[in-house]
Amino acid sequence: MSLPFLLEIGTEEIPDWMIPGALESLHGHLEGLGIAARMDATPRRLVARAEGLPERLPDTEERVNGPRKNAPEKAVEGFARKQGVTPADLTIEGEYYTYLRKTPGRRMIDVLAESLPSIILKITFPKTMYWTGKTGPRFIRPIRWLVALLGDQVIPFELAGVRSNNLTFGHRRGGRALAGAGLESRFATYEQTLRDNFVILSATERRKKIDDGVAALMKCGAEAPRGINPAPQGRLKPDPALLETLIYLTEYPTPILGEFDPQFLALPEEVLITVMRHHQKYFSVEDESGHLAPQFVAVMNTSADPEGLVRRGNERVLRARFNDARFFWQTDQRKTLADRVEDLAHVTFQAKLGSYLDKTDRVVALVKKLGGDENADRAARLAKADLTTELVREFTELQGVVGGLYARAQGEPDPVWQAIYDHYKPESMEDSIPRGATGRLVSLADKLDTLIECFRIGMAPNGSRDPFALRRAAQGVVKIIVEGRMSIPPLSLIGGAPQLTEFFEERVKFYFRDVRGFAYDEVNAAMAAGWSDLPELEARLLRLQKIRPSPDFEPLAASFKRIKNILRQAGFEGGPFNPELLEAGPESELYEEVDRTARQLIEDRIGALRPKVDLFFDKVLVNAPDPAVRANRLAMLHTLLEQFRAFADFSEIVTNS
């Protein structure tokens, strides 16, 4: 008999960004029990559902070996007693007494009752908390209820004083059971029970409800369900990351359209959007020309706002935030960025590395080393000055952006203010690099300084610990150099520090393998030929990727692997080559082909060399009895390997042969 399984962990609100990882972790732990569960979540619950679980696990048999057949009688009796049987129940197989131990399968409900408490506490979160005292269990938020069902039976267990049962809870502000009575749950009706009480369990459905609600709000004309919502003045500005956040912030999302005073549009759009997005979780609205419209879309965690109270409350809060931003903007303008640079002496970068003024001096020096002009020098000098402004202190997400906006307002040249604006980019692998050469130089210098100095004082990333985001900084350096087509070898700037060199090498591999999608063995092969010039490395990888499907590529790569092994076993690292020692036939033909094609592109050499190499290995004994002949053949193979190794180490390619 197969049974359905339901587990609901009811909690206080879980941070939205932690929920997907928690579901993945719970899914993996349940798989360890052989349960392939379907996962769902809202801010207040993590849910696993599965069907087809057996009522009882199958019986098992295990052959247990005991003492030798010529062992003393006492030893045989002791073995039988340990197995719970008599010596007469034992059999002899080969040289040993054995016993076929049969274990009846346990009831699945007992297995789950035993396993679920530990599984729940093993769910991975970036941080956890106590809520029953320091000797109690840890979880991301206090657990308030537990639904655990196998079929119609409650799986009995207790965790942190909460006993499992069949009672779930609906929305905090809607539906029934608000006084703590609970809602009876059955597997077949569980999701509908929640829906009837204003909880949409599926994240996909919540996404669709937001999308559909926004589409309805943005309709123009009589067909739009206006109600208390104002008339739309444009279209929603897409923001997939904010949408993902709102999906896991709400149980019953409902979008509403609000307005703000158009006078605030005098502030830069970046400031207004940051206030709406980061501080209020509002979508921005743009007009037909792509400029910001004086409206926003908020997503309520409730079913309706019939009197417009929620909308007006959001408008009131936003107005206060915009007033703050306008005040800070106007106050900050009383002092130029140039006058603020010295104030950076009072802003700590890192205790052992001094202030941001110290960092600024180092970045300016690095920009000069990279060949920066007057604009790059000016941008590097002013880049961190906005850290002393009131606007950045209030809205830290705007650092760099505010500096660029202030520099523009204060008459700095376009390359300067744009470089300041962009110098934190790229902030992720999906982000763009700075828009101009000046910004790329300043961004590189800033990131390289952070890397060099942090590694110098022993602050290299360790496991998941990376407080200065050094992996992201190194990844940004790689991305800027490659996508900006900059012939700047990063290793020449880090002083050959072994740990930092190895760190950069891993980041280069990650960029080309995980971000750009090149095969791992292609990346290894190309980097083995050198990676100091990253745009050149990219060009070789693109060529390698293009020629790999050719029929001669993998067979020749397998031959190069063989050549490398032969040279390694012989301990041969190079030596003189004498054409006069070549034998007529396959050996001479291979040499002639190697010599003839030496100046050709690798792409053109593969097809010509492959049959000659194959014939050579088929007909010629490399380890010839004559030491001079043997050394000469090794020298020829070494020459061929080195010619190709300037492009890529083909022996790193994984082949089927």
Side-chain angles (χ1 to χ4, degrees):
M1 179 179 177
S2 62
L3 299 169
F5 164 70
L6 167 64
L7 173 67
E8 180 189 56
I9 307 165
T11 70
E12 298 293 332
E13 279 76 358
I14 301 172
D16 62 276
W17 58 277
M18 295 185 184
I19 293 175
L23 289 180
E24 184 178 348
S25 176
L26 177 56
H27 183 269
H29 291 311
L30 289 174
E31 277 191 330
L33 288 180
I35 300 174
R38 175 159 56 100
M39 312 304 298
D40 290 292
T42 76
R44 298 176 65 220
R45 68 201 77 224
L46 303 175
V47 178
R49 289 177 288 174
E51 297 185 68
L53 272 65
E55 187 174 9
R56 182 180 290 275
L57 294 175
D59 298 343
T60 59
E61 293 184 349
E62 180 186 8
R63 178 70 64 181
V64 183
N65 288 330
R68 287 181 173 274
K69 63 182 180 181
N70 58 356
E73 184 177 342
K74 292 289 186 182
V76 177
E77 290 175 352
F79 172 67
R81 189 164 52 250
K82 185 176 180 181
Q83 305 305 316
V85 296
T86 66
D89 296 314
L90 304 179
T91 60
I92 296 176
E93 291 191 7
E95 295 295 316
Y96 296 91
Y97 281 95
T98 68
Y99 176 67
L100 185 62
R101 185 166 60 199
K102 298 180 180 180
T103 305
R106 297 178 65 195
R107 296 193 310 158
M108 177 57 81
I109 196 168
D110 295 332
V111 172
L112 291 171
E114 179 183 292
S115 304
L116 287 180
S118 61
I119 283 177
I120 292 170
L121 294 179
K122 286 179 184 176
I123 296 174
T124 303
F125 293 100
K127 57 180 71 175
T128 54
M129 63 179 288
Y130 298 107
W131 75 97
T132 61
K134 288 198 172 182
T135 59
R138 296 177 66 97
F139 203 67
I140 180 59
R141 290 291 185 269
I143 295 174
R144 296 308 188 200
W145 74 89
L146 292 163
V147 175
L149 298 175
L150 184 64
D152 292 329
Q153 283 187 283
V154 172
I155 302 166
F157 65 92
E158 183 175 329
L159 182 59
V162 180
R163 293 197 61 81
S164 60
N165 55 39
N166 66 342
L167 299 178
T168 187
F169 291 85
H171 195 285
R172 282 192 186 276
R173 300 182 182 86
R176 307 187 308 276
L178 295 182
L183 303 161
E184 185 175 351
S185 301
R186 294 180 179 275
F187 183 89
T189 58
Y190 167 73
E191 192 165 353
Q192 187 59 49
T193 297
L194 290 178
R195 191 187 307 277
D196 291 343
N197 288 271
F198 299 99
V199 174
I200 299 175
L201 183 61
S202 166
T204 301
E205 284 192 41
R206 294 198 298 276
R207 180 190 301 272
K208 185 176 186 303
K209 191 171 189 302
I210 294 173
D211 287 341
D212 291 348
V214 168
L217 288 174
M218 293 293 107
K219 283 182 180 179
C220 296
E223 60 178 333
R226 291 276 66 80
I228 51 85
N229 286 299
Q233 298 181 27
R235 56 178 179 262
L236 192 79
K237 188 177 180 67
D239 192 336
L242 178 57
L243 176 59
E244 191 71 17
T245 294
L246 289 166
I247 288 168
Y248 286 111
L249 276 178
T250 57
E251 292 195 311
Y252 199 86
T254 303
I256 55 173
L257 182 64
E259 296 181 312
F260 60 85
D261 194 326
Q263 67 172 322
F264 289 116
L265 294 175
L267 287 170
E269 289 189 2
E270 295 92 337
V271 174
L272 300 178
I273 290 172
T274 296
V275 172
M276 287 189 281
R277 183 187 194 277
H278 289 280
H279 294 266
Q280 302 304 127
K281 302 294 187 293
Y282 298 162
F283 291 103
S284 304
V285 176
E286 57 187 15
D287 60 25
E288 295 302 320
S289 62
H291 295 111
L292 201 63
Q295 292 187 317
F296 64 91
V297 172
V299 177
M300 306 184 298
N301 187 26
T302 186
S303 59
D305 182 28
E307 298 178 3
L309 298 177
V310 176
R311 175 179 64 82
R312 289 195 292 274
N314 279 281
E315 290 174 342
R316 184 169 58 254
V317 171
L318 186 60
R319 182 168 59 251
R321 299 293 286 176
F322 280 172
N323 275 323
D324 289 344
R326 180 167 58 186
F327 172 78
F328 296 141
W329 174 271
Q330 293 170 348
T331 301
D332 288 339
Q333 293 298 323
R334 297 170 187 168
K335 190 173 184 178
T336 66
L337 287 179
D339 291 336
R340 291 180 177 275
V341 172
E342 292 303 317
D343 295 341
L344 290 172
H346 307 295
V347 183
T348 301
F349 170 56
Q350 201 279 335
K352 295 181 181 179
L353 297 176
S355 68
Y356 268 97
L357 182 58
D358 298 321
K359 179 175 177 61
T360 294
D361 291 337
R362 294 193 302 266
V363 171
V364 169
L366 263 176
V367 164
K368 289 179 180 177
K369 191 174 181 179
L370 292 169
D373 59 12
E374 291 182 1
N375 285 332
D377 181 86
R378 178 71 171 173
R381 177 62 59 186
L382 301 179
K384 302 298 182 183
D386 68 351
L387 295 177
T388 68
T389 65
E390 296 299 325
L391 195 56
V392 168
R393 286 172 182 161
E394 182 69 16
F395 305 111
T396 56
E397 303 87 355
L398 287 172
Q399 57 186 336
V401 171
V402 163
L405 294 173
Y406 285 176
R408 182 175 63 184
Q410 293 162 15
E412 296 290 346
D414 286 354
V416 173
W417 75 257
Q418 289 174 1
I420 298 170
Y421 188 106
D422 289 347
H423 83 278
Y424 285 100
K425 297 170 76 66
E427 297 191 55
S428 69
M429 285 300 96
E430 294 73 37
D431 193 12
S432 60
I433 64 174
R435 73 193 87 175
T438 301
R440 292 166 195 166
L441 277 178
V442 175
S443 181
L444 275 180
D446 181 37
K447 292 172 174 58
L448 283 167
D449 171 73
T450 299
L451 287 159
I452 293 167
E453 295 301 311
C454 285
F455 269 78
R456 181 177 64 80
I457 62 172
M459 290 189 61
N462 183 14
S464 61
R465 182 172 173 77
D466 187 9
F468 275 78
L470 300 184
R471 293 187 183 92
R472 186 173 66 190
Q475 212 66 69
V477 169
V478 174
K479 185 177 174 73
I480 290 170
I481 292 176
V482 175
E483 297 177 20
R485 318 301 305 163
M486 303 175 75
S487 295
I488 295 176
L491 298 186
S492 67
L493 301 169
I494 63 177
Q499 189 181 16
L500 188 49
T501 298
E502 183 180 345
F503 181 72
F504 256 111
E505 184 175 12
E506 285 302 313
R507 294 300 93 195
V508 172
K509 287 181 179 179
F510 176 85
Y511 173 77
F512 284 112
R513 184 186 61 224
D514 295 71
V515 177
R516 296 291 299 278
F518 290 100
Y520 77 95
D521 56 343
E522 294 170 359
V523 174
N524 292 342
M527 289 184 66
W531 54 277
S532 61
D533 188 331
L534 296 181
E536 189 269 342
L537 171 62
E538 178 195 39
R540 284 189 283 118
L541 274 167
L542 289 168
R543 290 168 60 195
L544 188 61
Q545 187 182 61
K546 186 175 181 180
I547 62 178
R548 184 166 191 166
S550 66
D552 296 309
F553 178 85
E554 288 206 359
L556 190 62
S559 295
F560 275 103
K561 197 183 297 287
R562 183 177 181 182
I563 291 171
K564 190 174 182 179
N565 288 335
I566 290 171
L567 294 173
R568 183 177 64 251
Q569 290 169 6
F572 189 86
E573 297 180 358
F577 172 73
N578 184 0
E580 295 181 1
L581 293 179
L582 294 172
E583 291 184 359
E587 185 178 11
S588 295
E589 291 172 7
L590 175 59
Y591 167 72
E592 290 168 2
E593 197 62 38
V594 171
D595 186 60
R596 183 185 69 82
T597 62
R599 292 175 178 79
Q600 294 180 4
L601 293 173
I602 295 297
E603 293 89 331
D604 300 328
R605 300 186 74 188
I606 290 175
L609 280 171
R610 185 260 173 113
K612 302 297 183 183
V613 172
D614 288 351
L615 188 62
F616 173 84
F617 280 121
D618 189 43
K619 301 295 184 181
V620 177
L621 179 64
V622 176
N623 290 318
D626 186 333
V629 172
R630 180 169 65 249
N632 204 54
R633 288 173 180 171
L634 291 172
M636 181 176 67
L637 293 177
H638 182 267
T639 298
L640 176 59
L641 190 67
E642 288 302 306
Q643 288 178 359
F644 271 71
R645 192 178 279 166
F647 173 77
D649 185 348
F650 277 44
S651 68
E652 292 285 345
I653 298 296
V654 177
T655 65
N656 294 321
S657 56

